[in-house]
Structures are given as structure tokens and as C-alpha cells.
Amino acid sequence: MALRRAVQDDDVESQQATKDDESYAVGQVTIRVPLDCRPLPLLAVIVSFLPWAVPVALIADIALERRAISLFAFTAILVTSLVCEWGLKPLIGEPRPPTSACRTEDGKLLPGMPSGHVMMCQSMLIFYMLESIHHHALMVAVLLILAMPAMPWARWYNGDHTVKQVVVTFLAASLVGLVDYLIFLVLFQDSSGTFGQHVREVRREERIGVTRALLADLGPPGVIPVPFLPSTA
């Protein structure tokens, strides 16, 4: 993990620094040394690290509770992250602001459109907001809505993305979260169950279908064909 100086922008409080300050990237989050312990700069850094805790929490829930929704959410995060990091960012090629320490070894700014942090958080917030509404947990839905601006603000305030990058990603991620939830409803109509239960229910439906087909072949009730029985006519 190399230490790299980042050009600072005096328009943002968290990015004000002296020429002796150094900055480096940890998990695509710019850390400035000495650490600015004022409330807003510190909050921006802390919020920027929250996305790394989400997959860990989902994996733990999958292992312990085997919830179908956690398995789907983790898969959605994995797919979305791969598309962002290996597809969209290199394709769009829009660099991060000069205040970011997310750079290549030769000091070139890494692409910042779309913001992976904002994409993951906003899509999951939309996803779980819709799930909360579906189960009439309106207070939870309201809290999730109130939390939505936090990640775009943190990524901009910490100097890792421009306003344009976080706003565009916020809008795109909202659509991604909606699509994710629609797919989830198609695959798992009962989101309260586990993925093991879902598999068992599918197999049960298959067995019921086979049984009905066999009964249909036997004909109406009380009429059971007997093969090779000579006709009495």
C-alpha cells in the first residue's frame, strides 16, 4: 500500500491539507495523514468504509440463517461490483478528482464513474426498502430512505468522487435496485423463507405435478383401466 500525495481542493473542508500531508488509498477510500478528526471529515471516512461490511454481514446471514434474500442480495452485489469495476469504469474512463489517492503506481488517477460504493449501497437500500414496503414495515423503509444520501455525500466530501459521479451513480443504482427486487420477486415469491425451503418447495410442486399427471392418465374416479382384460362384448 503505497503512500501518494493528493492535490487538495480548498473548497471542501475535509480536503484541506498542508504540503506536509500525505494521502493513501485503502479499499478505494482516501486516508489523509495526519488524520483529520473533525466530525464531518471523520464521518465521511467512516461511512466510506461501510460498504465493506455489507457483504460480510450477508455471508454471515447466509451461513447462519440461510435466508434466500441474503443469498440473492450477495449475488447481486457481486455481479454489480464486477460490472462496475471491470466493465463500466474502464469503458467510461472518467477519472476521479485530483483530491483522491486512488491512483495507479505511476500516479495516474483511477476511473471514478460510476462510484462502486454508491452503486452498491444505493442499489441495496432500494432493494431492502422495497422489501420493507412489501412486508408493511414502513418505519424501516423510511429509515432506509433517510440513509440514502449518506454514501454519495461521503464519497464526494472525502474527495474520492466528483458531484457528477455520485449523482449519476445514485440515479443508476436506484434503477438497479428496482430491477434486482423485481427479479427477486420472480425467483423467490416468499422472501421470508430460506433458500433451502425454496428448493424443497420447487421439488414439492414438481412432485404434485407428476402425481396429477398420473391421476389424469388413470381416468375419472372409479374407472380404473385393467390391461389385457378380455372384452365381455
Side-chain angles (χ1 to χ4, degrees):
M1 180 171 54
L3 294 176
R4 301 188 184 93
R5 293 186 183 276
V7 178
Q8 305 298 328
D9 184 355
D10 292 337
D11 291 336
V12 180
E13 177 189 5
S14 69
Q15 299 165 10
Q16 292 177 349
T18 68
K19 63 181 181 180
D20 295 325
D21 287 347
E22 290 181 320
S23 61
Y24 56 95
V26 179
Q28 297 189 9
V29 178
T30 297
I31 304 294
R32 296 173 180 87
V33 179
L35 185 64
D36 191 342
C37 293
R38 289 175 295 173
L40 289 181
L42 190 59
L43 179 62
V45 172
I46 293 173
V47 171
S48 294
F49 278 112
L50 290 181
W52 295 101
V54 175
V56 175
L58 290 174
I59 291 174
D61 190 70
I62 292 170
L64 298 176
E65 302 295 335
R66 299 176 62 84
R67 289 191 181 94
I69 191 170
S70 296
L71 176 63
F72 183 89
F74 178 78
T75 304
I77 287 176
L78 183 61
V79 172
T80 302
S81 298
L82 290 175
V83 171
C84 283
E85 298 300 324
W86 298 97
L88 295 178
K89 282 185 177 179
L91 180 64
I92 298 173
E94 181 175 310
R96 296 168 183 264
T99 48
S100 176
C102 299
R103 301 167 182 261
T104 61
E105 290 298 328
D106 59 0
K108 182 180 178 181
L109 287 164
L110 293 174
M113 176 70 88
S115 165
H117 287 68
V118 176
M119 178 64 73
M120 187 185 78
C121 282
Q122 180 62 14
S123 62
M124 285 296 99
L125 286 171
I126 290 289
F127 180 85
Y128 280 102
M129 179 202 71
L130 295 173
E131 174 70 358
S132 300
I133 294 174
H134 180 69
H135 290 285
H136 307 289
L138 299 183
M139 183 58 67
V140 175
V142 170
L143 292 176
L144 293 175
I145 292 173
L146 293 176
M148 289 179 184
M151 187 57 65
W153 168 82
R155 299 304 286 155
W156 163 77
Y157 194 89
N158 198 49
D160 284 314
H161 290 280
T162 64
V163 172
K164 173 189 173 184
Q165 289 169 356
V166 297
V167 170
V168 171
T169 306
F170 181 88
L171 297 175
S174 299
L175 179 60
V176 171
L178 174 60
V179 173
D180 285 345
Y181 190 69
L182 293 177
I183 295 174
F184 175 74
L185 288 181
V186 172
L187 297 179
F188 302 93
Q189 293 184 4
D190 182 12
S191 58
S192 62
T194 66
F195 52 84
Q197 288 175 340
H198 177 72
V199 172
R200 289 192 294 271
E201 288 172 1
V202 171
R203 291 176 178 173
R204 177 175 174 272
E205 291 296 329
E206 291 176 350
R207 289 195 297 269
I208 292 175
V210 171
T211 303
R212 287 175 177 171
L214 291 174
L215 291 175
D217 291 339
L218 292 176
V223 181
I224 302 178
V226 180
F228 311 117
L229 186 66
S231 174
T232 57

